[in-house]
Amino acid sequence: MVLQALVDHIGRFTNINVGWPGKFHDARVFKNSGLFKRLQEGIYFPDRKITFGDVEMPVVILGDPAYLLMPWLMKPYTGALDTEKELFNYRLSKCRMVVECAFRRLKARWRSLLTRSDLSPKNIPIVIAACCVLHNLCEIKGETFMVGWEVEANRLAADYALPDTRAIRRSQRDALRIREAL
């Protein structure tokens, strides 16, 4: 099941979208979300803009290359990059590390998210949303985070990797070998 989230600068979940089956692409889930609609309409963030040169810049969110580039969604450059674009990508990546860390901490705190669930499919999104809320409370209160939790979460994630994911990785490795041979 897909959990798509907007994470603030200190690793709290400020908007979540949960419930789509895992087979759907992240960009499709996002485009069908309420967050996308509110961002597109310009009503999610306060109307704060700064002007840099002759460009008026709104508050933006950060995404990975799978998402559409929008005035309110920045993603990395792809293809052949000059030094300035590489520097932009590096800085964007550093900012996105907060998001990656938030997801790692969520999964480490609530390791049951990484295992098969016997819950009814209609209840799973409720449990995931509750874990996000509890994660935020732990972050706000400065609750202790044990490094061992992350080690255990990584082990569980490896044990419960979806077969499709393994097949895709194997296919990608094969593709890399073929490309190198060519």
Side-chain angles (χ1 to χ4, degrees), residues 10-11 13 98-114 131 134-154:
I10 55 174
F13 297 99
V98 173
V99 176
E100 302 301 326
C101 184
F103 273 94
R104 276 196 319 269
R105 290 170 73 91
L106 173 76
K107 291 185 287 187
R109 273 193 178 105
W110 316 111
R111 292 177 296 284
S112 63
L113 295 174
L114 298 170
C131 289
L134 291 171
H135 164 86
N136 283 356
L137 290 172
C138 289
E139 292 293 308
I140 290 166
K141 297 287 186 184
E143 292 290 327
T144 302
F145 183 84
M146 307 295 261
V147 177
W149 296 346
E150 205 164 343
V151 172
E152 175 68 8
N154 291 337

Side-chain angles (χ1 to χ4, degrees), residues 31-78:
K31 191 154 186 186
N32 286 285
S33 71
L35 175 62
F36 181 90
K37 291 174 183 75
R38 290 192 302 274
L39 287 164
Q40 188 70 358
E41 293 168 4
I43 59 174
Y44 189 79
F45 290 114
D47 192 25
R48 284 193 215 141
K49 295 182 179 171
I50 61 169
T51 303
F52 188 76
D54 61 346
V55 179
E56 193 174 67
M57 293 186 220
V59 173
V60 299
I61 64 173
L62 309 179
D64 65 29
Y67 295 97
L68 292 172
L69 181 65
M70 305 293 285
W72 41 263
L73 192 156
M74 290 296 108
K75 68 180 208 168
Y77 288 101
T78 57

Side-chain angles (χ1 to χ4, degrees), residues 107-126:
K107 291 185 287 187
R109 273 193 178 105
W110 316 111
R111 292 177 296 284
S112 63
L113 295 174
L114 298 170
T115 62
R116 181 174 174 77
S117 175
D118 293 328
L119 294 172
S120 159
K122 73 176 189 167
N123 290 332
I124 293 173
I126 296 166

Side-chain angles (χ1 to χ4, degrees), residues 74-87:
M74 290 296 108
K75 68 180 208 168
Y77 288 101
T78 57
L81 306 179
D82 61 24
T83 305
E84 286 183 11
K85 289 178 181 173
E86 283 180 0
L87 183 59

